[in-house]
Amino acid sequence: MTKPQVYSRLQIALHWAVAALIVMQVLLSDGIKDAYREILRGAAISPNFLIAAHVIGGVLVLIFALWRLILRARRGVPAPMAGQSKGQILAAEAVHYALYALLIVVPLSGMAAWFGGIEAAGDAHEALKTLLVLLVLAHVAAALYHQFIRKDGLLKRMWRGA
């Protein structure tokens, strides 16, 4: 398969949708954590917008991540930027695959905790969420490094779709 020069418009839209959803999920996590603690103590909770938004957001992250993986398998992704060392390429691939894995496992663990009442899944969800945030920050730092230090045009591939 020939590697595309840029990501497709759909790949770009899904990338930015997931990015926005992750920000939303982090911002809305306190409300659902509090509600989950109440449920674990046996208290009844009233459904509310924050809980619904977090649950729906998590389901959308999962769906969009799976959709992105299907697109990646069918269409491919642009080749690594010229001038990168093998170590940089391996690090970028490792972070991307770890991000995809977490974009699937974090929502699944949240669903297992919320709908299945599995406390260990809730603990895993919390720990994996932290790892996801750290990897997202590394991903953003690498993109900014390419944009402002290497000035190699890497970000253009994620802004201008084919």
Side-chain angles (χ1 to χ4, degrees), residues 51-109:
I51 292 170
H54 190 82
V55 171
I56 292 166
V59 170
L60 287 174
V61 167
L62 176 62
I63 291 167
F64 291 171
L66 292 172
W67 194 358
R68 287 185 65 194
L69 283 171
I70 291 167
L71 289 171
R72 184 182 184 97
R74 287 187 178 164
R75 185 180 191 279
V77 296
M81 297 301 291
Q84 288 188 312
S85 71
K86 287 184 182 184
Q88 288 173 313
I89 293 169
L90 286 174
E93 287 177 356
V95 168
H96 279 106
Y97 285 113
L99 282 169
Y100 279 114
L102 289 169
L103 291 173
I104 293 167
V105 175
V106 171
L108 289 176
S109 63

Side-chain angles (χ1 to χ4, degrees), residues 5-136:
Q5 295 296 309
V6 294
Y7 291 93
S8 71
R9 287 188 179 118
L10 181 55
Q11 285 171 306
I12 292 169
L14 289 170
H15 173 273
W16 292 111
V18 169
L21 285 167
I22 294 299
V23 169
M24 182 188 84
Q25 292 301 86
V26 171
L27 294 175
L28 297 178
S29 65
D30 285 345
I32 200 156
K33 273 192 272 188
D34 294 342
Y36 187 66
R37 284 189 199 109
E38 291 297 314
I39 290 170
L40 289 177
R41 286 198 295 248
I45 60 155
S46 299
N48 63 52
F49 171 76
L50 294 177
I51 292 170
H54 190 82
V55 171
I56 292 166
V59 170
L60 287 174
V61 167
L62 176 62
I63 291 167
F64 291 171
L66 292 172
W67 194 358
R68 287 185 65 194
L69 283 171
I70 291 167
L71 289 171
R72 184 182 184 97
R74 287 187 178 164
R75 185 180 191 279
V77 296
M81 297 301 291
Q84 288 188 312
S85 71
K86 287 184 182 184
Q88 288 173 313
I89 293 169
L90 286 174
E93 287 177 356
V95 168
H96 279 106
Y97 285 113
L99 282 169
Y100 279 114
L102 289 169
L103 291 173
I104 293 167
V105 175
V106 171
L108 289 176
S109 63
M111 287 180 219
W114 186 254
F115 296 112
I118 303 169
E119 196 170 349
D123 295 340
H125 182 73
E126 192 63 27
L128 293 170
K129 176 200 76 167
T130 301
L131 181 57
L132 176 61
V133 169
L134 291 173
L135 282 177
V136 166

